[in-house]
Amino acid sequence: MSNRILLLGAPGAGKGTQSKRLADAYGLEHITTGDALRANKDMETEYGTPREYMDAGELVPDGLVNEIVDAALADADGFVLDGYPRNLSQAEYLSEQTDLSAAIFLDVGEDELVRRLTGRRMDPETGDIYHIEFNMPDDEEIADRLVQRDDDTEEVVTDRLDVYYDNTEPVIEHYRETGDLVEVDGEAHPDEVFERISEVIGEDPSDD
Ligand code: AMP
């Protein structure tokens, strides 16, 4: 049976980094609503453009996001879902579409989240993620072209964390109650976090 994994956690918890690694190691589809929306930020929809919500740190309407996930799930056998579901109604929608093999919560404290998000920089050419304190590229050419995401500024980060505590924490509680949630210390080194998640999946990545 293929792996159908949910990675849950606050913005800045490391979902993107770990999902990419999982997708590579286990041959899974990486389904990320954040990236999909960023790639279509100015698309006109019946709800307006994704940008109107994203730049304010708000959630994009469920109808739009559910459609993205629906299309991605239709093409995926095994998958790792990153950044979805972000509220209880999305979680309910997801449960109607598919079963999950694991719901993994990357636990990171608020001070660390703010530090990670506000210092995060992205290479617009490759999508690679860096950090002004912990992880700058050696290559000066790359360092010079790094940009900050529009929603990683200090004021928007605070709003995104509020949205997370109000809307997404109840989702985490939901999976805790159903007994599906596995908590992983998201403040550990990324290699350690990955190892721990691999243990949860319980399959040797090299088998795939
Ligand atoms: P992320 O890259 O996951 O931090 O997402 C960036 C932004 O995209 C969020 O702040 C939301 O505005 C929007 N977004 C991403 N995923 C969702 C989702 N599942 N539901 C609603 N909005 C989302």
Side-chain angles (χ1 to χ4, degrees):
M1 186 72 125
S2 54
N3 282 302
R4 296 172 313 280
I5 298 157
L6 217 60
L7 262 197
L8 298 161
K15 300 187 299 294
T17 304
Q18 296 297 335
S19 306
K20 277 194 199 104
R21 291 173 79 155
L22 283 171
D24 286 348
Y26 291 94
L28 305 173
E29 199 73 41
H30 179 197
I31 304 178
T32 151
T33 46
D35 284 358
L37 289 165
R38 261 186 298 284
N40 295 287
K41 242 177 146 177
D42 293 310
M43 187 175 69
E44 288 294 346
T45 75
E46 60 183 294
Y47 310 97
T49 63
R51 179 185 295 280
E52 290 163 34
Y53 304 91
M54 296 172 80
D55 286 359
E58 292 166 15
L59 294 184
V60 171
D62 292 340
L64 186 53
V65 179
N66 289 343
E67 242 176 69
I68 293 173
V69 170
D70 231 7
L73 285 177
D75 294 335
D77 182 15
F79 60 80
V80 50
L81 252 180
D82 157 13
Y84 180 98
R86 260 181 155 92
N87 61 27
L88 283 173
S89 97
Q90 293 178 9
E92 195 179 328
Y93 182 81
L94 179 65
S95 71
E96 289 161 9
Q97 312 305 315
T98 185
D99 290 329
L100 298 170
S101 37
I104 297 166
F105 169 46
L106 299 181
D107 193 10
V108 174
E110 183 165 357
D111 290 349
E112 178 66 12
L113 293 171
V114 171
R115 209 150 64 107
R116 288 187 186 181
L117 289 166
T118 54
R120 178 159 73 178
R121 296 293 183 272
M122 196 176 62
D123 180 348
E125 291 193 14
T126 62
D128 289 343
I129 301 295
Y130 297 92
H131 192 281
I132 51 172
E133 279 175 74
F134 321 122
N135 175 27
M136 279 298 276
D138 294 330
D139 187 330
E140 249 178 65
E141 200 181 316
I142 299 176
D144 286 346
R145 69 179 184 225
L146 297 184
V147 294
Q148 185 176 41
R149 257 170 62 169
D150 293 334
D151 59 354
D152 278 345
T153 57
E154 217 161 316
E155 56 283 8
V156 184
V157 160
T158 312
D159 291 338
R160 286 167 68 202
L161 289 175
D162 285 346
V163 165
Y164 167 76
Y165 293 123
D166 290 346
N167 296 273
T168 315
E169 267 196 349
V171 174
I172 290 160
E173 279 315 308
H174 163 74
Y175 289 113
R176 205 192 305 279
E177 278 163 23
T178 60
D180 293 316
L181 196 76
V182 179
E183 293 191 44
V184 171
D185 176 8
E187 294 196 24
H189 188 279
D191 293 345
E192 235 174 89
V193 175
F194 181 70
E195 237 174 74
R196 179 78 180 93
I197 296 174
S198 300
E199 279 168 25
V200 174
I201 296 173
E203 186 186 304
D204 188 342
S206 58
D207 285 354
D208 207 278

